[in-house]
Amino acid sequence: MLISEQEILELKNFVFELNSTKDSVVVVEGKRDSIALRKLGYQGKILEFHRFGGMVNFADTVANYQRLIILFDRDRKGRILTGKTIQLLQRRTKVDLSFKRKLRIITKGKIMFIEQLVCYESFLV
């Protein structure tokens, strides 16, 4: 995969912005997604959806956070999860999809799955 300097610069800013968000938590689908974000330099709190044993448990637990930054994958499953999360939580807490959109723009749609971000690791460290 060809990676431009522009992408690297924008990803560094992306990680910096993520690290700068206050009173928020990043939500990903699974462990490999968490690992990929850590390798890019994200230091904040990450919750993995699969650990909650279902949407209801997930919704009840995360509703306590002021802001959820949703970074589910861009496949069908990820889109369904995103939709359900918005449906269940929009009245209970702030659901932030802006980082998900930024990531799609920065990587020009090349990254479908958050775990694929590890391909940028060597450029960001």
Side-chain angles (χ1 to χ4, degrees):
M1 176 163 52
L2 278 172
I3 297 172
S4 69
E5 280 187 40
Q6 182 71 25
E7 268 175 85
I8 294 162
L9 199 67
E10 289 177 10
L11 260 178
K12 282 182 179 173
N13 288 336
F14 175 83
V15 173
F16 178 79
E17 268 184 64
L18 255 188
N19 279 327
S20 303
T21 55
K22 299 283 178 254
D23 302 318
S24 60
V25 61
V26 169
V27 185
V28 295
E29 286 179 39
K31 190 159 187 56
R32 287 186 298 217
D33 301 327
S34 292
I35 292 167
L37 282 177
R38 291 286 180 229
K39 285 185 173 179
L40 290 186
Y42 178 62
Q43 294 151 0
K45 185 158 181 61
I46 300 176
L47 297 177
E48 295 167 11
F49 175 80
H50 76 86
R51 290 187 174 212
F52 289 93
M55 187 49 89
V56 175
N57 283 347
F58 168 71
D60 288 343
T61 306
V62 300
N64 303 325
Y65 291 97
Q66 286 186 359
R67 178 173 168 210
L68 297 180
I69 297 171
I70 304 294
L71 288 179
F72 292 148
D73 296 337
R74 288 182 39 235
D75 60 351
R76 186 169 180 274
K77 185 179 143 209
R79 286 196 300 272
I80 290 169
L81 277 178
T82 301
K84 284 184 177 169
T85 302
I86 292 167
Q87 207 176 351
L88 280 171
L89 289 163
Q90 64 185 357
R91 289 183 189 83
R92 296 165 75 183
T93 186
K94 185 176 182 341
V95 178
D96 183 345
L97 298 174
S98 67
F99 285 95
K100 189 176 173 160
R101 283 191 291 270
K102 281 179 194 164
L103 210 49
R104 189 187 70 232
I105 293 164
I106 291 169
T107 65
K108 295 171 184 56
K110 286 185 289 201
I111 299 291
M112 283 294 287
F113 305 99
I114 298 301
E115 64 190 62
Q116 291 174 310
L117 289 171
V118 294
C119 71
Y120 292 97
E121 180 189 7
S122 58
F123 299 99
L124 297 179
V125 180

